Short mmCIF file of all heavy atoms in Angstrom, two decimals:
data_model
loop_
_atom_site.label_atom_id
_atom_site.label_comp_id
_atom_site.label_asym_id
_atom_site.label_seq_id
_atom_site.Cartn_x
_atom_site.Cartn_y
_atom_site.Cartn_z
N VAL A 106 14.33 16.68 -6.41
CA VAL A 106 14.25 18.03 -6.96
C VAL A 106 15.63 18.55 -7.36
O VAL A 106 15.76 19.68 -7.81
CB VAL A 106 13.60 19.04 -5.98
CG1 VAL A 106 12.17 18.63 -5.69
CG2 VAL A 106 14.40 19.18 -4.69
N GLY A 107 16.66 17.70 -7.18
CA GLY A 107 17.99 18.07 -7.64
C GLY A 107 18.74 19.05 -6.75
O GLY A 107 19.57 19.83 -7.21
N MET A 108 18.46 18.99 -5.44
CA MET A 108 19.17 19.89 -4.52
C MET A 108 20.63 19.44 -4.35
O MET A 108 20.94 18.25 -4.44
CB MET A 108 18.45 19.87 -3.16
CG MET A 108 18.95 20.92 -2.18
SD MET A 108 18.27 20.66 -0.52
CE MET A 108 16.77 21.62 -0.62
N GLN A 109 21.52 20.40 -4.14
CA GLN A 109 22.94 20.09 -3.96
C GLN A 109 23.17 19.32 -2.65
O GLN A 109 22.46 19.51 -1.68
CB GLN A 109 23.77 21.38 -3.90
CG GLN A 109 23.82 22.14 -5.21
CD GLN A 109 24.44 21.31 -6.33
OE1 GLN A 109 25.53 20.76 -6.15
NE2 GLN A 109 23.76 21.20 -7.46
N LYS A 110 24.19 18.46 -2.69
CA LYS A 110 24.49 17.58 -1.57
C LYS A 110 24.61 18.32 -0.23
O LYS A 110 24.08 17.91 0.79
CB LYS A 110 25.79 16.81 -1.87
CG LYS A 110 26.15 15.78 -0.84
CD LYS A 110 26.00 14.37 -1.38
CE LYS A 110 26.11 13.37 -0.22
NZ LYS A 110 25.44 12.13 -0.46
N LYS A 111 25.32 19.44 -0.26
CA LYS A 111 25.59 20.18 0.97
C LYS A 111 24.29 20.74 1.57
O LYS A 111 24.05 20.64 2.77
CB LYS A 111 26.57 21.33 0.68
CG LYS A 111 27.71 21.39 1.68
CD LYS A 111 28.69 22.47 1.30
CE LYS A 111 29.45 22.93 2.52
NZ LYS A 111 30.40 23.99 2.18
N GLU A 112 23.48 21.32 0.71
CA GLU A 112 22.20 21.85 1.16
C GLU A 112 21.30 20.73 1.68
O GLU A 112 20.55 20.92 2.64
CB GLU A 112 21.48 22.53 -0.01
CG GLU A 112 22.02 23.89 -0.38
CD GLU A 112 21.30 24.40 -1.62
OE1 GLU A 112 20.12 24.76 -1.49
OE2 GLU A 112 21.91 24.39 -2.70
N ARG A 113 21.39 19.58 1.00
CA ARG A 113 20.56 18.45 1.41
C ARG A 113 20.86 18.07 2.85
O ARG A 113 19.95 17.89 3.65
CB ARG A 113 20.82 17.23 0.51
CG ARG A 113 20.38 17.38 -0.93
CD ARG A 113 20.03 16.05 -1.57
NE ARG A 113 21.13 15.12 -1.66
CZ ARG A 113 21.80 14.84 -2.80
NH1 ARG A 113 21.46 15.42 -3.92
NH2 ARG A 113 22.76 13.96 -2.81
N ALA A 114 22.15 17.98 3.18
CA ALA A 114 22.55 17.58 4.53
C ALA A 114 21.95 18.53 5.56
O ALA A 114 21.46 18.11 6.62
CB ALA A 114 24.07 17.54 4.64
N LYS A 115 21.97 19.81 5.23
CA LYS A 115 21.45 20.82 6.15
C LYS A 115 19.95 20.65 6.35
O LYS A 115 19.44 20.67 7.47
CB LYS A 115 21.75 22.22 5.56
CG LYS A 115 22.17 23.24 6.61
CD LYS A 115 22.54 24.56 5.96
CE LYS A 115 21.36 25.49 5.93
NZ LYS A 115 21.55 26.65 5.06
N ARG A 116 19.28 20.44 5.23
CA ARG A 116 17.82 20.31 5.27
C ARG A 116 17.40 19.03 6.00
O ARG A 116 16.41 19.02 6.75
CB ARG A 116 17.27 20.32 3.83
CG ARG A 116 15.78 20.28 3.72
CD ARG A 116 15.13 21.54 4.26
NE ARG A 116 13.68 21.39 4.34
CZ ARG A 116 12.91 21.90 5.30
NH1 ARG A 116 13.46 22.61 6.27
NH2 ARG A 116 11.62 21.72 5.30
N ILE A 117 18.16 17.94 5.78
CA ILE A 117 17.85 16.68 6.47
C ILE A 117 17.91 16.89 7.97
O ILE A 117 17.01 16.47 8.71
CB ILE A 117 18.85 15.58 6.06
CG1 ILE A 117 18.68 15.22 4.59
CG2 ILE A 117 18.69 14.34 6.92
CD1 ILE A 117 19.84 14.43 4.02
N GLU A 118 18.97 17.58 8.42
CA GLU A 118 19.12 17.79 9.86
C GLU A 118 17.94 18.61 10.40
O GLU A 118 17.36 18.26 11.43
CB GLU A 118 20.45 18.48 10.17
CG GLU A 118 20.65 18.64 11.66
CD GLU A 118 22.03 19.17 12.05
OE1 GLU A 118 22.95 19.16 11.20
OE2 GLU A 118 22.17 19.60 13.21
N GLU A 119 17.59 19.68 9.70
CA GLU A 119 16.46 20.52 10.12
C GLU A 119 15.19 19.70 10.29
O GLU A 119 14.51 19.76 11.32
CB GLU A 119 16.18 21.59 9.06
CG GLU A 119 17.02 22.84 9.16
CD GLU A 119 16.81 23.74 7.93
OE1 GLU A 119 15.85 23.52 7.16
OE2 GLU A 119 17.63 24.64 7.75
N CYS A 120 14.89 18.90 9.27
CA CYS A 120 13.65 18.14 9.28
C CYS A 120 13.63 17.09 10.39
O CYS A 120 12.63 16.92 11.08
CB CYS A 120 13.44 17.44 7.94
SG CYS A 120 13.10 18.59 6.62
N LEU A 121 14.77 16.39 10.53
CA LEU A 121 14.81 15.34 11.56
C LEU A 121 14.75 15.93 12.96
O LEU A 121 14.14 15.37 13.86
CB LEU A 121 16.05 14.48 11.38
CG LEU A 121 16.00 13.53 10.18
CD1 LEU A 121 17.31 12.79 10.02
CD2 LEU A 121 14.86 12.53 10.32
N ARG A 122 15.39 17.08 13.14
CA ARG A 122 15.32 17.73 14.45
C ARG A 122 13.88 18.19 14.72
O ARG A 122 13.40 18.11 15.84
CB ARG A 122 16.27 18.94 14.52
CG ARG A 122 17.71 18.53 14.67
CD ARG A 122 18.57 19.69 15.21
NE ARG A 122 19.98 19.39 15.11
CZ ARG A 122 20.63 18.58 15.94
NH1 ARG A 122 19.99 17.99 16.94
NH2 ARG A 122 21.92 18.35 15.77
N PHE A 123 13.23 18.67 13.69
CA PHE A 123 11.87 19.18 13.85
C PHE A 123 10.92 18.11 14.37
O PHE A 123 10.07 18.36 15.22
CB PHE A 123 11.36 19.73 12.51
CG PHE A 123 10.08 20.48 12.62
CD1 PHE A 123 10.08 21.83 12.96
CD2 PHE A 123 8.86 19.85 12.42
CE1 PHE A 123 8.89 22.53 13.09
CE2 PHE A 123 7.67 20.55 12.55
CZ PHE A 123 7.68 21.89 12.88
N VAL A 124 11.07 16.88 13.88
CA VAL A 124 10.18 15.81 14.34
C VAL A 124 10.81 15.04 15.51
O VAL A 124 10.26 14.04 15.98
CB VAL A 124 9.81 14.82 13.21
CG1 VAL A 124 9.07 15.53 12.10
CG2 VAL A 124 11.04 14.11 12.67
N GLY A 125 11.96 15.52 15.99
CA GLY A 125 12.58 14.94 17.18
C GLY A 125 13.15 13.55 17.01
O GLY A 125 13.04 12.71 17.90
N ILE A 126 13.79 13.31 15.87
CA ILE A 126 14.32 11.96 15.66
C ILE A 126 15.72 12.00 15.04
O ILE A 126 16.19 11.04 14.44
CB ILE A 126 13.30 11.13 14.83
CG1 ILE A 126 13.55 9.64 15.03
CG2 ILE A 126 13.32 11.50 13.36
CD1 ILE A 126 12.34 8.82 14.76
N TYR A 127 16.40 13.14 15.25
CA TYR A 127 17.72 13.32 14.65
C TYR A 127 18.72 12.27 15.15
O TYR A 127 19.60 11.84 14.40
CB TYR A 127 18.24 14.74 14.95
CG TYR A 127 19.56 15.03 14.30
CD1 TYR A 127 19.65 15.13 12.91
CD2 TYR A 127 20.73 15.18 15.05
CE1 TYR A 127 20.86 15.37 12.29
CE2 TYR A 127 21.94 15.43 14.44
CZ TYR A 127 22.01 15.53 13.06
OH TYR A 127 23.20 15.76 12.44
N ASP A 128 18.57 11.85 16.40
CA ASP A 128 19.52 10.86 16.96
C ASP A 128 19.45 9.52 16.22
O ASP A 128 20.37 8.71 16.33
CB ASP A 128 19.26 10.67 18.46
CG ASP A 128 17.81 10.26 18.73
OD1 ASP A 128 16.91 10.77 18.05
OD2 ASP A 128 17.60 9.42 19.63
N LYS A 129 18.39 9.29 15.46
CA LYS A 129 18.26 8.01 14.75
C LYS A 129 18.65 8.14 13.28
O LYS A 129 18.32 7.27 12.48
CB LYS A 129 16.80 7.53 14.82
CG LYS A 129 16.31 7.24 16.22
CD LYS A 129 16.74 5.87 16.67
CE LYS A 129 16.17 5.56 18.04
NZ LYS A 129 16.91 4.47 18.69
N LYS A 130 19.33 9.20 12.92
CA LYS A 130 19.52 9.48 11.49
C LYS A 130 20.24 8.36 10.73
O LYS A 130 19.99 8.16 9.56
CB LYS A 130 20.27 10.81 11.30
CG LYS A 130 21.71 10.84 11.78
CD LYS A 130 22.30 12.19 11.45
CE LYS A 130 23.61 12.52 12.10
NZ LYS A 130 24.62 11.50 12.20
N ASP A 131 21.10 7.61 11.40
CA ASP A 131 21.83 6.55 10.71
C ASP A 131 21.20 5.17 10.85
O ASP A 131 21.74 4.19 10.35
CB ASP A 131 23.28 6.51 11.19
CG ASP A 131 24.02 7.79 10.82
OD1 ASP A 131 23.79 8.29 9.69
OD2 ASP A 131 24.79 8.30 11.65
N ALA A 132 20.05 5.12 11.55
CA ALA A 132 19.38 3.82 11.72
C ALA A 132 18.61 3.47 10.45
O ALA A 132 18.31 4.34 9.64
CB ALA A 132 18.42 3.90 12.90
N TYR A 133 18.32 2.19 10.28
CA TYR A 133 17.44 1.76 9.19
C TYR A 133 16.01 1.66 9.74
O TYR A 133 15.83 1.38 10.93
CB TYR A 133 17.90 0.42 8.62
CG TYR A 133 19.11 0.56 7.73
CD1 TYR A 133 20.39 0.42 8.25
CD2 TYR A 133 18.97 0.91 6.40
CE1 TYR A 133 21.51 0.60 7.44
CE2 TYR A 133 20.06 1.08 5.58
CZ TYR A 133 21.34 0.93 6.11
OH TYR A 133 22.43 1.11 5.31
#
Side-chain angles (χ1 to χ4, degrees):
Chain A
V106 298
M108 189 190 271
Q109 292 300 309
K110 185 111 191 154
K111 228 176 156 181
E112 284 176 72
R113 293 208 297 255
K115 220 176 94 193
R116 184 66 189 144
I117 293 165
E118 183 173 345
E119 276 171 14
C120 291
L121 287 176
R122 284 200 191 283
F123 190 85
V124 299
I126 201 156
Y127 183 68
D128 56 322
K129 297 279 184 199
K130 67 177 167 41
D131 295 320
Y133 284 93

